[in-house]
């Protein structure tokens, strides 16, 4: 499904240049569950952004389902995001002043789903992350953990082919964290949802079938569970 | 998708209601100004047409001297009462003709005095001017022939001299002459030139000659064309050239004024003024559009994160662009509608104050609305484009 070859990403120019990723090679098959670990600043989020077609690599090649992502136009990449990707951002990135339910419905609107169906699916996704009853709350009225679960519901509501989750349990207590991981593991097993997840916690990473260790923008080692 | 863009736009506008209203104010004022200018301008044109109509329809005025030559009038041979008679008798295209001579005289009744224009004229004058009697009786043919000292009063003279008293049968003094009031004329109102047509006294032409002017002359002949004024004008010119013995190679030494022509010139002038004022007002619409652009640019900056989220979730450039464009168009067209309502109300009061008829031009109203919507598209384009072109990653990092 995913093939990264000699991928590098450099921010800035000259003396201020930061090499966030260098020579990353990674291949992910459909249905895999991968955890990315590594110290902060090691390039995990940068890698996720590239995987999610939000950013382009400076060098190297990213093939997604056998097409070279670098050659795609902005619109084509937006359509890939719309139809294949569910993204849980590290900073949640919910629309402020907009209810949790509307936030979860947002990707369905861009998929042009009829209102009634949209509502049913969004309610189901909210329930799946344990947020029933909070549909009408805005992000400001929710705790960090609740916001994180809204973000997860929004990523899952479209039933995507690939879930990219940047520290999805970072703001959850350990019980909640394991509930969410159980949900992801079930989706991975039952529906073949491909998951790439960044985490700092070893017990969360244990849900994955493979753990990729980042260090200084480089993949240090890969361990299969 | 258009529908959801519209509801998003309405929600965003309600969220910043004060700001949205202030932004719309530019468009409201622009649209209202255009419509008010055009409405009042059209009303003025209609009023002038009506006033010229009130002078008398198909009216021609014959006077000695060339129209555009200075001093030629005084030098030219004066008109005779017999000219009026000949025009009446010999030209079938002339419905009525009356010679007239005027003099400003101070008129006295009791303790009141009033200086006005006293006209000696023939009975056809009232026909030409489409003027009728409110009360009393007309000057008889016998009184005309004899030059009897009787008169008809215009409404202004009547009010100034008599107030609430009944003038009929009373005797007024025109300078040293005593004159009996036999009839009262109906109110005619202001002329298109702004003079008071009711400030007049009419008496038999021969009485005027005998008692007031002392010369047997007429200064103008008022004519009423039977149907086509230009044919009548030619007939009158031919007859007058013959009567005044003008050689074939010589120019006319008299002129004929067609009131229809004057009406056209005057309404033409107000029409030009109307378009000019309307155009000036339209400029303010563009200023309103710049206001919308300014606020939309601020809004795009404020909502950078929101735009980043939408793009990251899979919104296309053109969808983001449409969202902001619809917002700008909603702002401008709601402003347009409010401007139209404001204009309708304001025109009603302004027309009342200026005493012009209310002439709404629905095509101008429609045009103003369409123009306001177009302003939204034009000035919303740049901000919408800016929003759509944002880089999702940078937009998400925006605080
Ligand atoms: N937009 C950016 N501009 C400049 N440097 C950046 C940008 N994004 C990330 N970096 C840098 O790239 C490196 C990797 O960052 P990141 O991928 O966020 O790490 P992680 O998610 O593993 O903590 C860091 O040194 C960070 O400072
Ligand atoms: Mg990170």
């Amino acid at each position: 499904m995913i093939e990264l070859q000699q991928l590098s990403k450099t921010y800035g120019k000259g003396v201020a240049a930061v090499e966030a990723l260098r020579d990353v090679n990674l291949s992910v098959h459909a249905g895999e569950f991968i955890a990315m670990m590594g110290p902060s600043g090691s390039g995990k989020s940068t890698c996720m952004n590239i995987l999610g077609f939000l950013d382009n690599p400076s060098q190297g090649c990213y093939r997604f389902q056998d097409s070279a992502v670098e050659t795609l136009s902005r619109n084509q990449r937006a359509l890939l995001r719309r139809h294949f990707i569910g993204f849980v951002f590290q900073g949640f990135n919910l629309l402020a002043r907009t209810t949790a339910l509307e936030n979860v419905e947002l990707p369905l609107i861009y998929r042009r789903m009829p209102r009634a169906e949209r509502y049913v699916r969004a309610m189901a996704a909210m329930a799946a992350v344990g947020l029933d009853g909070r549909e009408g709350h805005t992000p400001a009225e929710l705790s960090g953990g609740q916001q994180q679960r809204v973000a997860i519901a929004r990523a899952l509501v479209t039933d995507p082919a690939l879930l990219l989750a940047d520290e999805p349990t970072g703001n959850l207590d350990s019980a909640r964290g394991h509930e969410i991981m159980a949900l992801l593991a079930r989706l991975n097993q039952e529906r073949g949802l491909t998951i790439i997840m960044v985490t700092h916690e070893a017990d969360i990473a244990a849900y994955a079938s493979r753990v990729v260790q980042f260090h200084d923008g480089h993949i240090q080692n890969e361990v299969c569970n | 998708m258009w529908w959801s863009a519209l509801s998003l736009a309405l929600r965003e506008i309600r969220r910043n209601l004060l700001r949205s209203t202030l932004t719309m104010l530019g468009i409201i004022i622009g649209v209202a100004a255009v419509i008010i200018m055009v409405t009042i301008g059209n009303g003025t044109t209609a009023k002038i047409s009506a006033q010229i109509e009130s002078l008398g329809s198909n009216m021609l005025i014959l006077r000695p001297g060339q129209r555009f030559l200075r001093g030629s009038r005084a030098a030219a041979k004066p008109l005779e009462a017999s000219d009026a008679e000949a025009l009446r008798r010999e030209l079938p295209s002339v419905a009525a003709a009356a010679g007239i001579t005027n003099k400003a005289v101070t008129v006295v009744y009791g303790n009141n005095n009033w200086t006005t224009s006293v006209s000696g004229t023939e009975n056809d004058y009232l026909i030409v001017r489409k003027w009728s009697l409110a009360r009393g009786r007309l000057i008889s043919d016998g009184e005309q022939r004899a030059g009897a000292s009787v008169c008809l009063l215009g409404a202004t003279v009547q009010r100034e001299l008599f107030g609430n008293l009944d003038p009929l049968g009373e005797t007024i003094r025109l300078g040293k002459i005593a004159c009996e009031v036999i009839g009262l004329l109906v109110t005619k109102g202001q002329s298109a030139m702004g003079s008071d047509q009711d400030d007049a006294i009419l008496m038999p032409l021969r009485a005027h000659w005998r008692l007031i002017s002392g010369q047997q002359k007429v200064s103008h002949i008022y004519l009423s064309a039977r149907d086509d004024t230009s044919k009548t004008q030619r007939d009158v010119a031919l007859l007058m050239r013959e009567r005044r013995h003008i050689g074939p190679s010589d120019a006319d030494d008299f002129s004929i004024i067609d009131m229809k022509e004057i009406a056209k010139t005057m309404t033409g002038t107000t029409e030009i003024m109307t378009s000019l004022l309307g155009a000036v007002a339209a400029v303010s619409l563009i200023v309103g559009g710049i206001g919308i652009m300014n606020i939309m640019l601020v809004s795009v900056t404020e909502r950078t994160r929101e735009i980043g989220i939408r793009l990251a979730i899979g919104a296309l450039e053109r969808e983001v662009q449409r969202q902001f464009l619809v917002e700008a168009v909603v702002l401008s067209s709601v402003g347009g509608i409010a401007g139209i309502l404001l204009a309708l109300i304001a025109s009603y009061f302004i027309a009342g104050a200026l005493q012009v008829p209310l002439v709404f031009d629905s095509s101008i109203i429609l045009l103003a609305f369409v123009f306001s919507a177009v302003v939204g598209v034009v000035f919303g384009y740049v901000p919408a484009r800016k929003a759509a072109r944002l880089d999702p990653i940078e937009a998400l990092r925006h605080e």
Side-chain angles (χ1 to χ4, degrees):
Chain A
M1 187 185 212
I2 287 172
E3 195 66 50
L4 301 184
Q5 287 164 358
Q6 297 296 107
L7 204 75
S8 297
K9 177 73 185 177
T10 310
Y11 289 113
K13 284 201 182 92
V15 284
V18 179
E19 209 174 18
L21 291 177
R22 62 189 158 86
D23 300 336
V24 170
N25 293 298
L26 183 70
S27 85
V28 180
H29 301 289
E32 269 198 284
F33 188 163
I34 293 185
M36 286 183 177
M37 299 190 76
S40 88
S42 58
K44 307 180 297 291
S45 294
T46 305
C47 187
M48 294 291 267
N49 287 341
I50 291 172
L51 287 171
F53 317 113
L54 285 169
D55 215 349
N56 268 330
S58 313
Q59 257 160 24
C61 179
Y62 172 17
R63 300 185 76 77
F64 181 80
Q65 293 184 337
D66 292 328
S67 56
V69 174
E70 300 82 22
T71 62
L72 300 179
S73 70
R74 243 170 91 93
N75 270 337
Q76 285 169 319
R77 286 191 286 138
L79 288 173
L80 282 181
R81 287 198 292 273
R82 177 188 293 182
H83 291 291
F84 293 98
I85 308 287
F87 210 122
V88 182
F89 298 95
Q90 195 170 7
F92 318 145
N93 284 330
L94 300 177
L95 290 185
R97 303 177 301 178
T98 306
T99 65
L101 185 70
E102 286 170 318
N103 265 290
V104 175
E105 275 186 288
L106 194 61
L108 301 179
I109 291 177
Y110 286 114
R111 284 192 173 197
R112 296 193 171 51
M113 187 176 285
R115 179 184 282 270
E117 193 183 344
R118 215 160 69 200
Y119 178 78
V120 172
R121 299 253 317 239
M123 290 298 278
M126 291 286 284
V129 296
L131 277 179
D132 13 11
R134 304 283 168 167
E135 292 85 2
H137 292 232
T138 61
E141 296 162 354
L142 296 172
S143 72
Q146 287 169 328
Q147 289 181 47
Q148 186 147 42
R149 283 184 281 152
V150 173
I152 293 168
R154 184 180 65 187
L156 291 175
V157 75
T158 55
D159 207 358
L162 173 63
L163 178 72
L164 298 169
D166 204 342
E167 301 192 31
T169 58
N171 287 276
L172 302 181
D173 59 70
S174 131
R176 276 284 182 210
H178 284 286
E179 260 175 52
I180 293 293
M181 289 320 298
L183 171 68
L184 295 188
R186 204 176 66 236
L187 290 173
N188 173 247
Q189 247 137 54
E190 290 174 4
R191 301 209 202 154
L193 170 68
T194 312
I195 302 176
I196 302 176
M197 168 185 78
V198 172
T199 184
H200 286 297
E201 294 149 79
D203 55 338
I204 295 294
Y207 285 88
S209 51
R210 185 150 56 113
V211 177
V212 177
Q213 196 74 41
F214 270 76
H215 189 81
D216 246 357
H218 199 73
I219 294 183
Q220 210 171 31
N221 61 351
E222 292 184 26
V223 184
C224 290
N225 284 340
Chain B
M1 216 54 206
W2 282 102
W3 178 246
S4 68
L6 186 65
S7 67
L8 265 178
L10 287 174
R11 178 198 287 206
E12 205 54 47
I13 286 167
R14 251 179 299 147
R15 207 169 253 168
N16 284 310
L17 199 56
L18 178 62
R19 188 162 88 180
S20 306
T21 313
L22 291 175
T23 309
M24 279 188 273
L25 208 54
I27 297 291
I28 294 175
I29 291 172
V31 167
V34 171
I35 296 175
I36 291 171
M37 292 297 175
V38 172
T39 303
I40 298 302
N42 287 346
T44 311
T45 307
K47 184 185 180 183
I48 291 174
S49 309
Q51 283 169 337
I52 289 171
E53 188 68 23
S54 82
L55 283 174
S57 65
N58 298 343
M59 184 166 86
L60 299 173
I61 299 173
L62 173 63
R63 64 181 206 193
Q66 276 269 269
R67 192 169 174 183
F68 299 110
L69 289 182
R70 250 173 198 282
S72 73
R73 196 174 161 191
K77 200 168 132 188
L79 295 169
E80 310 279 345
S82 60
D83 291 330
E85 205 193 322
L87 289 165
R88 271 199 300 270
R89 203 180 51 234
E90 287 175 32
L91 295 180
S93 59
V94 170
I100 189 169
T101 174
N102 303 297
K103 193 173 181 185
V105 174
T106 300
V107 189
V108 183
Y109 175 78
N111 293 328
N112 299 335
N113 60 67
W114 182 249
T115 302
T116 186
S117 162
V118 174
S119 306
T121 185
E122 296 170 286
N123 284 346
D124 266 9
Y125 183 69
L126 292 183
I127 300 170
V128 177
R129 296 289 314 272
K130 289 212 297 193
W131 212 349
S132 57
L133 214 53
R135 281 191 313 121
R137 63 172 181 86
L138 294 170
I139 299 168
S140 71
D141 288 346
E143 283 164 335
Q144 276 289 357
R145 270 194 304 275
S149 188
V150 294
C151 63
L152 307 176
L153 299 189
T156 303
V157 177
Q158 179 194 339
R159 192 181 60 241
E160 294 297 336
L161 289 182
F162 291 93
N164 293 327
L165 303 176
D166 182 6
L168 282 183
E170 298 294 323
T171 300
I172 56 175
R173 298 196 63 83
L174 309 176
K176 297 191 187 71
I177 302 116
C179 186
E180 187 194 348
V181 179
I182 58 167
L184 305 174
L185 295 163
V186 295
T187 305
K188 233 172 151 42
Q190 256 185 19
S191 77
M193 327 286 173
S195 65
D196 180 4
Q197 301 181 82
D198 297 314
D199 191 6
I201 295 179
L202 304 183
M203 65 192 305
L205 180 60
R206 279 166 186 78
H208 198 278
W209 284 350
R210 189 163 59 84
L211 304 168
I212 294 180
S213 60
Q215 328 168 261
Q216 304 209 346
K217 273 195 270 181
V218 297
S219 62
H220 298 80
I221 296 174
Y222 279 67
L223 296 149
S224 183
R226 204 170 286 285
D227 29 53
D228 180 14
T229 51
S230 51
K231 179 183 183 299
T232 311
Q233 199 168 353
R234 281 194 304 275
D235 291 350
V236 170
L238 274 175
L239 182 64
M240 290 310 294
R241 285 176 72 87
E242 191 189 312
R243 290 181 61 83
R244 290 161 81 87
H245 311 294
I246 300 169
S249 55
D250 292 334
D252 293 351
D253 65 348
F254 56 89
S255 50
I256 302 167
I257 301 163
D258 183 346
M259 289 316 289
K260 278 234 174 76
E261 293 298 318
I262 293 186
K264 265 190 216 147
T265 319
M266 290 199 59
T267 53
T269 310
T270 55
E271 273 160 15
I272 290 170
M273 282 301 287
T274 303
S275 341
L276 215 62
L277 288 173
V280 170
V283 171
S284 68
L285 251 176
I286 293 176
V287 175
I290 294 171
I292 286 188
M293 173 141 106
N294 189 21
I295 285 302
M296 291 302 297
L297 284 171
V298 170
S299 175
V300 168
T301 307
E302 280 180 356
R303 285 152 68 193
T304 300
R305 244 180 111 78
E306 174 198 327
I307 296 162
I309 293 168
R310 290 178 182 280
L311 289 170
I313 272 172
L316 298 180
E317 262 180 46
R318 65 165 179 274
E319 287 164 339
V320 172
Q321 185 170 338
R322 176 161 54 202
Q323 182 188 335
F324 281 85
L325 208 53
V326 166
E327 203 174 309
V329 172
V330 167
L331 269 180
S332 69
S333 44
V334 169
I337 291 169
I340 288 170
L341 294 179
L342 177 67
L344 296 186
I345 295 166
S347 302
Y348 174 80
F349 286 108
I350 295 174
L354 297 180
Q355 295 190 320
V356 300
L358 207 51
V359 189
F360 281 123
D361 184 342
S362 55
S363 65
I364 283 296
I365 292 176
L366 190 70
L367 192 74
F369 175 72
V370 170
F371 194 66
S372 69
V374 168
V375 161
V377 174
V378 169
F379 290 97
Y381 181 80
V382 170
R385 192 91 207 108
K386 188 183 166 200
R389 300 291 305 175
L390 284 177
D391 178 57
I393 291 287
E394 303 218 329
L396 285 175
R397 293 168 68 93
H398 186 91
E399 273 317 311

